[in-house]
Amino acid sequence: NGVLAANSSYSNLHGFGGKDKLKDFVASLKRPRKAIMLVPAGKPTDAVIEELAKLFQKNDIIIDVGNANFRDQIRRAESLEQRGLRFLGMGVSGGAEGARKGPAFFPGGTLSVWNDVKDIVEAAAAKATDGRPCATMNGKGGAGSCVKMFHNAGEYAVLQIWGEVHEILKAYGVSGDDQAKLLESWKTKTGGRYAGLLDSYMLDITIEVVKAKDSTVAGGADDGSSLISKTMDKTDSKGTGLWSVVEALQAAVPAPSLAAAVLARQMSMLREERLSNAKAIPLPQPEKGTWSKEMEEDLFWAAGFAIIASYAQMFQCLRKMDEVFEFGLNLPATIATFRAGCILQGFLLEPMTKAFEDNPKLPNLLSAFRPEIEDHLHGFKRILSKITNETGVTVPCFYASLDYIQTMYLTEIPSAQCVSLQRDVFG
């Protein structure tokens, strides 16, 4: 086995001494050869694959672990298979923590590859609470990278949701330290049938950032001020979230929370326009109310339902992608790999995994949380009404998630009836 990080076509890629040493690298590998590559997505990936393919022999394996578009991986798998080679496009999630303790892997490609690499990948993967490795063969072609793309889209949404929780708390004058204390209590707070409903990696990092203080180490001052308040209000993206939303729209799968998260990042990047607009029209500021225990409880459920709705959309998208591209995806097994190692890891993945294992044909993930929705959806609606009337906060994922929940469980949509007839009028 080997790790390839050399490509003479791209000067920023180094590793084994460039093209001249590539033959020696390939010759050092046992048959069937297995080369794992991690280079920038797009043309650099294609170039490295081509250099390897020229030197590899029948049944040798190329494994790409970059953040690739799954359509590119379908093309690569088909091309290499036609040449007698085998390909695995394997998404990886976990960040620095995953690098230390084991990430989640999302492989897909030539199906026979899994038998050759399964033991290696599963040994390196994070382990869920039941001991199962967070890795499974997701299917042929670009299946693994498709799962990783929509994992990232879900990550966009959940990060945005926690950002919106912070924005609401800040609007009501809750300090960073007090925000951290509240969110820390949510790690063990019982929600409906579940203790620790919102406990997750992304809640942990939210707690870390809201209480972080500026420092000389961070390039500021050791004055005890909040680091988050000095952070530029611009969030860029690498493309996977946008790719996923485009795929969802093209496949007619509603994913409003995922789309709202992408749009929130795009609007944040238009800072100069925002500042100019604010000078042109200072928006009226409503009279702020008082933060209360009831609002605290409602915000807990708002976060919970928005996260569940985001996962529901992500899973519906994966179902549709599997239907269109015939990956052979086993959705319950794929969901189980999200439970540890990856950025999305958290308690909610446990009941979600069980829901789909018990009923792989579950129409929508939200249906698995019927008792919680029946008892607490009113709280979600109540806090959105209150913050809309009392603040100027922007909470696009909250609004999109509530709309998704309500719309997808309606037996009749009057606005759709009206638009249908409107279209008939103008032909």
Side-chain angles (χ1 to χ4, degrees):
N1 305 319
V3 179
L4 175 67
N7 179 2
S8 60
S9 300
Y10 296 87
S11 59
N12 63 326
L13 302 177
H14 302 281
F16 289 92
K19 190 174 182 179
D20 293 339
K21 295 291 182 70
L22 187 58
K23 289 183 180 179
D24 293 338
F25 166 72
V26 170
S28 71
L29 304 178
K30 294 180 180 179
R31 298 287 312 278
R33 300 180 180 92
K34 308 174 190 71
I36 300 173
M37 53 180 284
L38 175 58
V39 298
K43 291 182 179 180
T45 299
D46 285 329
V48 174
I49 287 175
E50 182 57 28
E51 289 180 6
L52 275 173
K54 290 176 182 177
L55 299 171
F56 271 24
Q57 297 172 287
K58 186 177 180 180
N59 287 326
D60 286 349
I61 300 165
I62 297 174
I63 303 173
D64 172 34
V65 296
N67 266 340
N69 188 304
F70 77 87
R71 289 178 180 267
D72 288 337
Q73 303 293 58
I74 292 173
R75 169 178 56 78
R76 290 164 183 151
E78 291 176 349
S79 174
L80 291 170
E81 286 167 4
Q82 288 172 3
R83 298 163 72 170
L85 302 176
R86 293 184 288 168
F87 177 75
L88 197 69
M90 186 164 65
V92 183
S93 177
E97 191 75 6
R100 289 190 293 269
K101 300 179 180 178
F105 292 104
F106 312 120
T110 309
L111 296 178
S112 65
V113 171
W114 191 235
N115 293 329
D116 289 87
V117 304
K118 179 180 178 181
D119 291 344
I120 300 170
V121 174
E122 288 186 344
K127 307 301 185 291
T129 53
D130 59 4
R132 282 191 282 173
C134 291
T136 190
M137 186 62 173
N138 290 285
K140 67 179 184 180
S145 293
C146 184
V147 170
K148 181 56 163 58
M149 269 175 52
F150 281 97
H151 164 284
N152 285 14
E155 177 186 316
Y156 276 42
V158 179
L159 288 172
Q160 177 65 26
I161 288 162
W162 286 119
E164 292 175 14
V165 168
H166 161 70
E167 185 164 345
I168 292 168
L169 292 170
K170 181 179 179 180
Y172 281 91
V174 182
S175 70
D177 288 339
D178 286 340
Q179 288 183 38
K181 291 176 183 176
L182 173 63
L183 296 180
E184 186 69 39
S185 74
W186 285 6
K187 287 169 57 64
T188 55
K189 180 177 171 62
T190 297
R193 295 167 291 168
Y194 306 107
L197 182 78
L198 298 184
D199 188 22
S200 65
Y201 172 73
M202 282 190 275
L203 174 54
D204 287 340
I205 63 175
T206 305
I207 293 169
E208 183 177 341
V209 300
V210 297
K211 68 180 180 181
K213 305 300 181 185
D214 194 10
S215 67
T216 53
V217 175
D222 294 314
D223 57 5
S225 61
S226 168
L227 180 61
I228 199 170
S229 66
K230 297 181 178 180
T231 303
M232 181 64 72
D233 60 337
K234 296 168 67 175
T235 307
D236 205 350
S237 59
K238 296 180 180 178
T240 48
L242 175 60
W243 295 344
S244 299
V245 169
V246 169
E247 291 290 347
L249 289 170
Q250 290 178 335
V253 184
S257 303
L258 309 188
V262 173
L263 291 170
R265 291 192 181 197
Q266 291 177 340
M267 286 190 284
S268 79
M269 293 300 291
L270 300 176
R271 191 167 192 272
E272 290 185 7
E273 180 183 337
R274 289 188 285 112
L275 295 178
S276 177
N277 293 341
K279 290 180 181 179
I281 306 177
L283 296 178
Q285 296 300 309
E287 185 176 342
K288 185 173 67 179
T290 304
W291 186 251
S292 66
K293 282 291 183 181
E294 180 183 73
M295 292 181 68
E296 182 180 307
E297 180 71 11
D298 289 348
L299 185 59
F300 173 87
W301 284 107
F305 287 135
I307 291 169
I308 294 168
S310 298
Y311 277 109
Q313 295 160 44
M314 179 174 67
F315 297 153
Q316 296 298 82
C317 288
L318 286 174
R319 275 177 158 166
K320 187 63 176 181
M321 294 300 105
D322 182 46
E323 176 186 323
V324 172
F325 295 95
E326 299 180 336
F327 290 135
L329 187 71
N330 180 342
L331 188 60
T334 295
I335 295 170
T337 64
F338 293 170
R339 293 179 298 159
C342 70
I343 305 300
L344 289 181
Q345 65 180 288
F347 172 80
L348 271 170
L349 268 303
E350 295 293 344
M352 289 178 184
T353 297
K354 186 176 188 307
F356 280 102
E357 287 180 341
D358 290 347
N359 181 11
K361 295 183 179 180
L362 184 70
N364 190 294
L365 173 66
L366 288 163
S367 298
F369 293 88
R370 176 177 176 175
E372 287 73 26
I373 291 173
E374 289 178 336
D375 292 343
H376 300 285
L377 187 64
H378 66 280
F380 190 2
K381 298 166 73 172
R382 181 168 55 209
I383 193 162
L384 288 191
S385 174
K386 192 171 180 63
I387 64 174
T388 300
N389 289 328
E390 295 182 352
T391 75
V393 300
T394 56
V395 288
C397 271
F398 276 157
Y399 286 127
S401 299
L402 178 59
D403 183 66
Y404 179 78
I405 294 169
Q406 295 192 136
T407 302
M408 295 308 293
Y409 284 82
L410 282 178
T411 57
E412 184 175 272
I413 306 175
S415 61
Q417 294 171 314
C418 181
V419 172
S420 182
L421 287 179
Q422 288 170 335
R423 294 180 68 202
D424 287 344
V425 172
F426 65 74

